[in-house]
Amino acid sequence: MKFLTVEQARHLLDIAQGHTLEAMIVLAVLTGMRRGELFALHWEDINFRKGTIYVHRSLSYKNADGLGCIYREELPKTTAGIRTILLPDIALE
C-alpha cells in the first residue's frame, strides 16, 4: 500500500477546500476510513456532540446475479471493522 506523506495530505486538504467532496476528503484523510465505509455513512452515524462516527456498514458494488451490478450496504468484512472513530476538530468543522 502507498500512503500520503504529511505534506501530501496537507496539500490535498488545502486544495479540497470549497469542493463539493470536501467533507468526504477530510474524513478520508483524517480517519483512514475506506471508500465503502465513507459512502455508507448516514447522518445518524455521526455524533457531533461527542465528536464521533460510528462505522458499521460498507457500500459495495456487486454483480449479484450476473445481470448487472448493484450497490448494496453490507456489514464490514470483520467485526473489527465495526468501530467508533473519534473525530479531530477540523473534521467536525
Side-chain angles (χ1 to χ4, degrees):
M1 274 190 202
K2 291 185 178 183
F3 299 95
L4 297 176
T5 65
V6 172
E7 282 196 18
Q8 290 171 328
R10 283 186 182 137
H11 181 66
L12 178 57
L13 293 174
D14 286 344
I15 62 172
Q17 287 184 3
H19 191 278
T20 307
L21 296 176
E22 179 181 2
M24 283 287 219
I25 294 168
V26 168
L27 285 178
V29 170
L30 297 179
T31 67
M33 290 175 65
R34 296 171 183 88
R35 180 177 48 202
E37 295 170 338
L38 289 164
F39 291 151
L41 280 177
H42 293 223
W43 282 110
E44 62 265 20
D45 298 331
I46 304 168
N47 186 326
F48 288 98
R49 190 174 39 79
K50 291 183 179 179
T52 60
I53 289 184
Y54 180 50
V55 179
H56 59 112
R57 298 184 272 272
S58 185
L59 187 69
S60 64
Y61 186 66
K62 297 204 174 182
N63 189 356
D65 56 10
L67 300 175
C69 293
I70 58 169
Y71 288 99
R72 181 185 341 216
E73 281 185 0
E74 299 179 338
L75 292 173
K77 291 180 184 176
T78 66
T79 55
I82 299 173
R83 63 204 187 280
T84 300
I85 298 173
L86 186 61
L87 293 172
D89 290 339
I90 189 173
L92 289 169
E93 292 173 16

